[in-house]
């Protein structure tokens, strides 16, 4: 792994971190954490979870969890089960392959173009999020890892100036599942993937589109490779 320009901080991120941009409501922050838990496989497809159970797990009250899960139900990520809670929607291997394919068609060329078009100050502003990803990987905190990863990549794509593109990729990321993350943590391999975010930033700052393309291609390959293993 190439050397990065800055080392990761030692402090672990908060369980419900600020996501940047506009100020998020508590309900939105809880929903973000629950989405991250879905993506990371912490909440498994087909399982039914009650709001009180999830509230105890996340250290919050049941009301914002129930409200957040209703938001996720509107997005098709969970189904309501009367008098029981919420069942996580299953996603097929074919669907996951299709999501990753669409993401690669959008994210790789868009990110490569940013090497010649993005403002260096705006790129450098993403470095704290990249460091959060590395810190979360080192701590084995998969929810914080996924939250920071989404914030980093959507923030990066936003520099292309196309809000609809960011919305499409954001939706695909919500629907993805990365069930192999736990196995990577246990094998001590997640940190290497996390450090690719810093490597990507360095290539962007170096104004090297081909290096950016190589890093992004390798990085997205993990989604249905290393990260996808059940």
């Amino acid at each position: 792994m190439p050397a990065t320009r800055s080392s990761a901080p030692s402090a672990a991120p908060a369980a419900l971190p600020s996501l940047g941009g506009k100020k998020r409501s508590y309900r939105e922050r809880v929903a973000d954490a629950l989405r991250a838990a879905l993506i990371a496989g912490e909440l498994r497809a087909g399982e039914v979870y009650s709001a009180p159970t999830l509230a105890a797990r996340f250290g919050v009250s049941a009301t914002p969890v129930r409200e957040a899960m209703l938001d996720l139900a509107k997005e098709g990520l969970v189904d309501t089960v009367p008098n029981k809670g919420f069942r996580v929607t299953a996603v097929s291997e074919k669907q996951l392959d299709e999501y990753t394919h669409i993401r690669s068609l959008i994210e790789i060329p868009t990110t490569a173009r940013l090497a010649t078009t993005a403002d260096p100050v705006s790129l450098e502003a993403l470095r704290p999020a990249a460091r959060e990803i590395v810190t979360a990987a080192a701590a084995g905190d998969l929810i914080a890892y996924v939250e920071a990863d989404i914030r980093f990549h959507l923030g990066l794509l936003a520099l292309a100036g196309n809000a609809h593109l960011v919305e499409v990729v954001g939706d695909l990321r919500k629907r993805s599942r990365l069930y192999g993350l736990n196995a990577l943590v246990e094998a001590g391999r997640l940190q290497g993937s996390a450090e690719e975010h810093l490597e990507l930033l360095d290539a962007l700052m170096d104004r090297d589109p081909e290096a950016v393309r190589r890093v992004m291609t390798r990085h997205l390959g993990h989604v249905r490779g290393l990260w996808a293993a059940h």
Side-chain angles (χ1 to χ4, degrees), residues 41-65:
E42 297 269 310
L43 304 180
R44 303 293 291 194
E47 294 289 326
V48 177
Y49 298 91
S50 70
T53 298
L54 290 173
R57 180 169 176 175
F58 282 84
V60 297
S61 63
T63 297
V65 169

Side-chain angles (χ1 to χ4, degrees), residues 130 133 145 149 152-153 193-201 219:
I133 297 169
Y145 182 99
D149 181 72
F152 174 87
H153 284 286
S193 295
E195 288 171 355
E196 288 176 344
H197 297 83
L198 292 166
E199 183 184 354
L200 177 61
L201 273 183
H219 188 64

